[in-house]
Amino acid sequence: MITIKNVLKTGVLAALMATASSCINDLDRTPTYDVTSASVYADPANYKPVLAKLYAVMAVSGQQGPAGKPDISGIDEGTSNYIRLLWTLQQLPTDESVIAWNDQTIQDFHTMRWTSADGFIAGMYSRIFYLVTACNEFIRETTDDKLASRNITGQAATEARTYRAEARFLRALAYYHAIDLFGSVPFVTEADAPGSFLPSQISRADLFTYVENELKAVEAELPAPRASEYGRADRAAAWTVLAKLYLNAQVYTGTARYTDAVTYAGRVIQANAYSLSPNYQSLFLADNNNSPEIILPVAFDGLRTLTYGGMTFLIHAQVGGQMQASQFGINSGWAGLRTTKALVNLFPDATGTADKRALFFTQGQNLEINDLTAFTDGYAITKYRNVTSAGQAGSDPSGNYPDTDFPLFRLADVYLTYAEAVLRGGTGGDAATALTYVNALRTRAGATAVTTAGLTLDFILAERGRELYWEGTRRTDLIRYGRFTTGTYLWPWKGGVQNGRSVEDFRNVYPIPAADIVANPNLKQNTGY
């Protein structure tokens, strides 16, 4: 059986997903391959493997792994993995994360000095549009008319329509990341004929509307919550993206949509298909595929999804100093990632707190960061491990590649989305229910319950830090709260100063890569770059 967790490396996948240029001036190219698109899609048995590859775009960087036969040429496969870059752009510029390395421009993220020539930003941009391009091709080849022309009927046609809905979801997810990271971007859909052309630019607000409409359009075609295979999108995944889209609508469009955020977060919760994992740490272990809380993961497998990005990066890079790699189910640490005292201070008495979410390694580590490139400056994090709940190491005997999945969306985030949207004035929910959801998280963590009076927007931001740190949400959260760039909220080395400083507001979005601006005269650069 072909599952998303077990992506088959077949000629079908290589045929559809041939290497693409790293410059996105032709978003809808038709790949060149030995077998034709017509021959691939003539057989409905090929559809699920191709769908699996669409999901795998976020997990792996090419057809071979960990390197060789890359999906995108011109960039390093390991450092340009989708999840690794999403994490880098969402975490490294914030109060939660620093990195010790000097690879290319990596230090520019925490010091908030990136430019339009940055290779990591170009890599994320390319990964987003590679996924968009791949989804467009699949959607174009699975229309009802094309299914009928190939005599694909009955159950095979029904399954193909579900796969098509999932591809539309994945495209919407990629465009959601584009909205959040870049704002106004090139835009292309399956309606654009394959071939070389220069796409036009869509405004951030119009792309918001497109993503909103797409997610609503596929909602009924996706499986019911938790009715699909693990690792595949269901209706709850679509509702979660909508809830997050609406929570940030004021930033994205200038118009608040908090009532809609309450509505769609409520749909996820009230479906009763997902529940909190009893143990917080279990959400980040090698058998977290058993969690009832994870709505949509990016799935990794130590024997099948070989990459230097994704969870390989997150687990290896957090281990260094006096930490024992074997306790994390890996063969060695890369001595890279740590946190700042701003995160540590969210937990009262962080070294002895009862809050089980305070997963810090302090032995041999300094709380203060005098040198960003010294791994021992800044507490280390022990959140992600390639060991199971029973203490067994992951499946890769070499200790290189983990089984741990990245929890892209989980119920705790939805609880906090509901609570924040209610506090921001969203109707259709109530503060008492919001309090219940927040205290469910705090009870699991062993933390003291918050009172009605204590449940404020500032508390929610702090609680999001405690619950969701290192899960790729912090930059978006700080922007929504007006604390990412200007203002009085500072953290160590923000803006390149040890005590932190405000930076320009234009850094609330990343630049369109300079190479694409040059290649496509239809594009206008984001202000400030």
Side-chain angles (χ1 to χ4, degrees), residues 140 176 207 241 367:
R140 187 183 295 116
Y176 165 71
L207 187 54
V241 178
L367 177 63

Side-chain angles (χ1 to χ4, degrees), residues 245-275:
L245 194 71
Y246 292 135
L247 186 65
N248 294 286
Q250 180 76 56
V251 173
Y252 299 156
T253 71
T255 301
R257 300 284 295 273
Y258 299 121
T259 294
D260 290 319
V262 171
T263 297
Y264 280 89
R267 287 188 184 182
V268 177
I269 297 165
Q270 291 155 18
N272 293 318
Y274 295 91
S275 60

Side-chain angles (χ1 to χ4, degrees), residues 4 55 58 229-233 288-289 294-300 405-409:
I4 303 305
Y55 279 97
M58 289 189 286
E229 291 175 287
Y230 175 80
R232 291 172 60 185
N288 63 349
N289 57 295
I294 296 176
I295 297 167
L296 184 67
V298 176
F300 290 89
D405 298 333
F406 185 78
L408 191 64
F409 302 131

Side-chain angles (χ1 to χ4, degrees), residues 32 175 296 455:
T32 300
Y175 271 135
L296 184 67
L455 189 63

Side-chain angles (χ1 to χ4, degrees), residues 33 61 70-71 96 206 224 259 283 286 304 358 419 421 433 488 505 510:
Y33 32 70
S61 55
D71 288 335
E96 293 184 351
D206 286 347
T259 294
L283 286 159
R304 300 183 178 93
T433 302
T488 60
D505 278 338
Y510 287 105

Side-chain angles (χ1 to χ4, degrees), residues 361-375:
F361 186 93
T362 62
Q363 186 177 349
Q365 301 293 129
N366 304 313
L367 177 63
E368 298 291 338
I369 301 175
N370 293 311
D371 183 353
L372 283 168
T373 64
F375 181 80

Side-chain angles (χ1 to χ4, degrees), residues 18 75 77 273 292 341 381 405 436 463:
I75 51 179
E77 281 197 64
K341 63 183 179 182
I381 299 288
D405 298 333
T436 299
E463 191 68 10

Side-chain angles (χ1 to χ4, degrees), residues 104-180:
Q104 301 173 56
T105 56
I106 197 68
Q107 289 298 334
D108 288 351
F109 287 93
H110 194 76
T111 58
M112 304 180 85
R113 294 171 173 170
W114 57 79
T115 72
S116 62
D118 190 276
F120 296 105
I121 293 172
M124 184 74 252
Y125 181 88
S126 296
R127 292 291 173 194
I128 286 171
F129 286 108
Y130 180 75
L131 180 53
V132 167
T133 301
C135 289
N136 281 343
E137 175 71 4
F138 186 86
I139 295 163
R140 187 183 295 116
E141 291 293 340
T142 53
T143 64
D144 286 349
D145 285 346
K146 288 205 171 182
L147 293 177
S149 72
R150 298 173 185 133
N151 295 317
I152 297 174
T153 60
Q155 184 62 27
T158 299
E159 291 175 351
R161 293 185 187 101
T162 301
Y163 302 156
R164 183 177 66 209
E166 291 178 68
R168 290 176 70 182
F169 168 83
L170 289 171
R171 182 179 60 184
L173 176 60
Y175 271 135
Y176 165 71
H177 290 148
I179 291 169
D180 186 73

